[in-house]
Each structure stands twice: as structure tokens, then as C-alpha cells.
Amino acid sequence: MTERQEQTPYLDALCEYARRKPARLHVPGHKGGPGADPGLLEAFGERALSLDIPALTYGVDVGVEPSPFEQAQRLAAEAWGAKRAWFLINGASQGNLAAGLALAHRGSDVVVQRNAHSSTIDSLVLSGLRPTFAAPEVDPELGIAHCLTEETLARALDATPGAVAAWVISPTYFGAVADIRSLAKVAHLRGVPLIVDEAWGAHMAFHGDLPEHALSAGADLVISSTHKIVGSLTQSAMLHLGHGAGEMIGEDTVDRAVTLTESTSPNSLLVGSLDAARRQAAVHGRELLTNTMAALVLARAEIQAIDGLDVLDDRLAGRPGVFAYDPLRLAVDVRGIAASGYELAPMLREIGDINLELYGQNVLVAVFGMGERGLPEASRLVDALRTAADRVGLDIDGAAASFAAAPPWGELAMTPREAYLGPQEVVPASQAAGRIAAESLATYPPGIPNVLPGERLTAETLAYVQNTLELGGSVRGASDRLLRTVRVVLES
Ligand SMILES: Cc1ncc(COP(=O)(O)O)c(C=O)c1O
């Protein structure tokens, strides 16, 4: 990394503005502290409030070119190896929304990995793009969805001759990483860009022992949730344009899409945190990640030593849809003990105030940051797991339990946008078969949407969702979480 990466131009400009104690004849109304509620002042501290300034502040975002804001984005592009980077203040969700709007300039069809984040589906609603969904591989043992294989992507693209892009997710929540190099080749051979939702992989650019990150593997537009593991403030993220995107994705088009999807008052603390997190990753990422990964190796071994528990790790690589494994998650396989992930999560909270990122029937996911110093949380998790496992005992048949495959998703009768915006009504689930859904239904596990807006509901799918709920699973996206009713399109 270059010496430039030691610098934090935006953060420095922000601090300098606060230090000068300027006349703040601008928003926000708390005026850097004096106008704030005393409770807020005490909780956040005067320092944080003094750094909360509006966009277009002279010497920070505007003034001499390139402004500290522009310099900070350039440093981020350099650190991740992008042609251009945009700071996002509405999360990776904004990155997905902007990606869809940018792509819609090129045409109306797109290939999308089916287990996309809800913000990708929202992006289809906003952009009006018509999706051809490509199914991820489902792990038959763990009951979780992995990534796309190149064969699946090739089939989906061949079935969608006018596709403007292929839009995939890697890594998954559980740490499975796709073969982005091959997926990029498949897309580029057909003249379309590869969009990668790498929300969970912003750290992967900073350590050679981690799986190759998407930009380096040839992706053209990468959505990166910097706050998740790299450690900027919650809600801050980045969107990266690849050097190879060329004519396939217009830089100006992305720029306008980013502007359209964000507030005109981006929070300076979020932006400053992106600048700082980039420096930490670029300058110290290797060392921090080395320590965190070493500590996680130990934590994994301790969990495996608990009777009935196992962990997800490198052994997953090579299974269908898993090219490599990102170790910055500690995913615990709980099938061998007599409690599901749904039962264990509250138990762990009660035992050790353990608060997990995610849990499903078979797997619990604890997320670790790039710079966990010493990793005391890992031993807390291990101790609480040991207590919980002792309490519930073993489940002799649990590890062999497998999941019934979900029925195929229904025909796309209209675009997600048409279904979302069209006239709708709520009907009893028992009368919903044959109707067009106006909302999503995604059962967990394995988290692949069973129904998306615009798709025709089938009796098999409705029965499958109901059955998952009866088994203790959950459904996301539904306005009625118990699926007594479903929101459907009113067809004339
Ligand atoms: C794959 C994926 N993409 C996008 C997002 C949205 O990220 P953010 O919360 O930063 O908006 C998430 C959030 O969990 C995600 O898992």
C-alpha cells in the first residue's frame, strides 16, 4: 500500500472544522452540541456532535478541487482496486438500489441470484427490471443456501438473451464465497457485466490468505458493506466500479443513481468513518486480520471440542456453490445437540448476554470484525455454547436430518415493479393459490425467497411455507408473518 493510504483527508478536514469553532449558521440545529438535548449530549459526547456538519461545507466537501471528500473516495478506490468508489450513507442497500437504477439504462432484463438481499428485490421494484432468477446451490445437510455455480449462471444468461447484467452474491451470510473469476468469465463471454453484492466481504481485499475479493477477480460493479466487518459506522458502505467495466456500465449513470438514492444531507460522521475504516484496512488490515483469523482458528477448535457441536470452515470449500470460505464468521453447526438454532439463540442471550448476527434451524452465525483486539467475545461465546450444550444434551439423529427441497418458484407473471405498484388486496392464504403475489415470502431456512412480487403463487409453495412455520422456521417479507393472509395483485 502507498504512503497516501496513511492519510484521512476527509476525517482530518472534519476535525479541523470542529477545532476552529466556526460560526455554524447552517444545519443541523444542535449546532455541534449547544442546541442538543442534554441526554443526547451526554450519550454521544460534545466531540461527536461537533463533527456532525452538513454536506457542501467549504474546505470539506467543496472548495479547492479535489476536495477532501473527493480525495477520500479516490483513496478508497485505490485501496480496493476500483476505477471509482462511491461512499454510501444508506448502507449496501443503497448500493443495490443504485446498481439496479444504473443497469436499467441499458435494457429491461437482468439475471439475479435468487437468494438476493431484500434491497436487490427493492431495486427491481424501483428500476422496473425484469428478473430471470438463478438458483443458488442448497447445502443438503446444513439446509443453507450457498453461491451460484458458473453452469447455473450460464444457463440463466442463455435463457435471457437481452440481459443487461448478471447479479450475484458472494460471500453469503454463512461465509461461502463464489468462484467470481469463473462467473465473470461466463458473464463477459456474453457481453454483460458482473455485479457482485459483496456486502459481507469488504475485508477480503486486505489479506492474501482470504478468498480473492470480487474486484480483483474481475467483477464490474461491487456492493460493499464496509460497516459489517471492516468497521465503519453502521449504515456506511461503498460502491466500487471495476476497471474492466468499460462501456458496460457508465460511470456517470452510476453517479446519478447514487445521488438519486441518497439523502441530500449525508451524515459526516458516517463519511468520516468510511475514510478512517479505509485507512485502517489499507494500512493495518493485514496485521489485524492475521490476529483475528488466528484467534478464530482457536475458537473453532474449542467449539468443535464440545460434544454435539461443529463449525463451518474451509471444509465447505469444494461443495457445490462454495469455491472458498471466508473465516470472518463463526458459523456453528448445532444439529448434533437437542435444540435448534431458534431455541439456542435466546438461551445464549440468557446465559452470557450473547447477541448473534443470525440464527437458523441448524446454524448460528457470530460475526467478527477485522480488528477485534484479543477477541474476548469468542471465549464468551464458547463458554456460553458449552453451558447450553450441557443443558440441552445431544440429539443423536440431528446431524443426519436433512431438508425437504422447496418447490420451484412460480411463473413471473409481471415485473416486481408492476406487482408492487399495481392495485392489491389481502386474501386468506387458503385462497391465494393462482394469484400473483404483491409481496415476498422467504422461508428461513434456507433463506431463498419462495415467492417474489410478480410471481404466481402455487398451492405447493404456500403449503411449503406453512410447513416451515409449523416446524419453527420463519418467513421474511410477508406482511402477515404467520401467513394467515397474503397480499396479492388485483387482476382485472
Ligand atoms: C447480501 C447483502 N446485501 C446487502 C445488504 C444490505 O446491507 P446494509 O445493511 O449495509 O444496507 C445485506 C445486509 O445484511 C446483505 O446481507
Side-chain angles (χ1 to χ4, degrees):
M1 283 293 160
T2 64
E3 265 177 34
R4 279 200 308 281
Q5 291 293 334
E6 301 263 4
Q7 299 168 6
T8 45
Y10 183 88
L11 188 65
D12 295 352
L14 200 53
C15 291
E16 172 55 20
Y17 188 77
R19 189 199 59 75
R20 287 198 326 255
K21 299 204 182 309
R24 292 178 184 247
L25 299 174
H26 53 60
V27 295
H30 63 64
K31 300 293 171 177
D37 173 78
L40 183 72
L41 197 56
E42 193 186 337
F44 286 13
E46 199 176 336
R47 183 96 185 119
L49 290 170
S50 73
L51 296 174
D52 184 17
I53 63 169
L56 307 185
T57 298
Y58 187 86
V60 182
D61 313 88
V62 293
V64 181
E65 302 273 320
S67 68
F69 177 68
E70 286 163 334
Q71 290 175 42
Q73 292 195 138
R74 285 182 196 176
L75 285 169
E78 181 184 284
W80 269 271
K83 181 179 173 198
R84 178 153 175 198
W86 286 266
F87 285 179
L88 308 174
I89 42 83
N90 194 19
S93 300
Q94 186 192 349
N96 276 321
L97 298 182
L101 288 171
L103 293 174
H105 283 264
R106 287 170 43 90
S108 55
D109 288 271
V110 65
V111 168
V112 183
Q113 183 170 330
R114 179 73 183 190
N115 53 333
H117 186 252
S118 57
S119 57
T120 302
I121 306 307
D122 293 344
S123 184
L124 299 176
V125 168
L126 275 187
S127 64
L129 285 168
R130 176 181 293 278
T132 297
F133 288 111
E137 299 299 312
V138 175
D139 196 302
E141 282 177 33
L142 295 165
I144 59 177
H146 295 319
C147 302
L148 272 195
T149 62
E150 47 184 299
E151 293 78 19
T152 305
L153 181 63
R155 261 198 310 277
L157 281 171
D158 291 342
T160 319
V164 293
W167 199 339
V168 306
I169 298 113
S170 173
T172 64
Y173 256 113
F174 301 96
V177 177
D179 183 356
I180 297 295
R181 240 170 224 284
S182 299
L183 295 179
K185 212 176 281 172
V186 165
H188 295 161
L189 266 176
R190 290 158 180 81
V192 303
L194 183 72
I195 317 302
V196 181
D197 180 346
E198 199 176 45
W200 282 103
H203 57 291
M204 295 194 320
F206 302 102
H207 201 294
D209 291 348
L210 288 170
E212 186 177 28
H213 69 110
L215 274 171
S216 140
D220 301 295
L221 193 62
V222 175
I223 294 108
S224 182
S225 205
T226 328
H227 69 89
K228 286 195 195 309
I229 289 177
V230 169
S232 56
L233 290 179
T234 296
Q235 208 177 319
S236 62
M238 294 188 199
L239 183 61
H240 298 295
L241 185 65
H243 282 286
E247 297 297 300
M248 290 189 292
I249 303 176
E251 195 174 321
D252 289 351
T253 323
V254 177
D255 198 47
R256 280 188 291 131
V258 168
T259 307
L260 188 143
T261 49
E262 86 180 10
S263 164
T264 50
S265 306
N267 186 293
S268 54
L269 298 175
L270 297 182
V271 177
S273 80
L274 283 170
D275 197 22
R278 183 269 314 149
R279 173 176 57 189
Q280 160 136 303
V283 179
H284 303 293
R286 209 192 126 65
E287 177 204 338
L288 292 170
L289 285 162
T290 299
N291 293 341
T292 302
M293 285 193 287
L296 282 172
V297 167
L298 290 181
R300 282 197 171 84
E302 287 181 337
I303 292 172
Q304 280 180 301
I306 300 172
D307 232 8
L309 294 184
D310 200 353
V311 292
L312 273 57
D313 57 22
D314 281 346
R315 290 170 293 163
L316 217 56
R319 291 196 195 183
V322 190
F323 182 66
Y325 189 73
D326 169 22
L328 269 275
R329 281 357 146 271
L330 217 179
V332 184
D333 175 356
V334 302
R335 288 173 301 149
I337 61 174
S340 70
Y342 297 111
E343 291 159 322
L344 281 167
M347 206 181 288
L348 293 173
R349 258 200 313 273
E350 179 243 308
I351 294 170
D353 202 1
I354 302 289
N355 298 278
L356 297 165
E357 175 66 27
L358 179 78
Y359 47 89
Q361 176 79 12
N362 294 340
V363 184
L364 307 173
V365 182
V367 167
F368 288 84
M370 184 182 73
E372 304 256 356
R373 296 182 198 264
L375 228 58
E377 314 295 51
S379 28
R380 269 179 85 167
L381 173 65
V382 174
D383 290 346
L385 279 170
R386 201 174 285 121
T387 308
D390 273 352
R391 203 183 273 182
V392 302
L394 294 180
D395 178 0
I396 306 302
D397 304 322
S402 65
F403 266 77
W409 54 80
E411 158 223 3
L412 190 74
M414 55 175 67
T415 63
R417 180 182 176 87
E418 288 161 346
Y420 180 87
L421 292 180
Q424 304 167 3
E425 63 176 337
V426 174
V427 297
S430 57
Q431 293 167 25
R435 302 292 301 269
I436 300 171
E439 63 184 357
S440 308
L441 304 177
T443 50
Y444 279 75
I448 301 175
N450 307 89
V451 177
L452 287 172
E455 288 177 353
R456 216 169 269 290
L457 290 154
T458 65
E460 293 75 21
T461 292
L462 288 162
Y464 178 88
V465 175
Q466 201 68 60
N467 191 41
T468 304
L469 287 176
E470 279 159 21
L471 290 173
S474 61
V475 59
R476 292 202 194 162
S479 46
D480 177 356
R481 296 271 169 132
L482 297 177
L483 203 72
R484 289 160 304 201
T485 58
V486 187
R487 180 170 285 278
V488 297
V489 171
L490 204 51
E491 290 168 84
S492 50

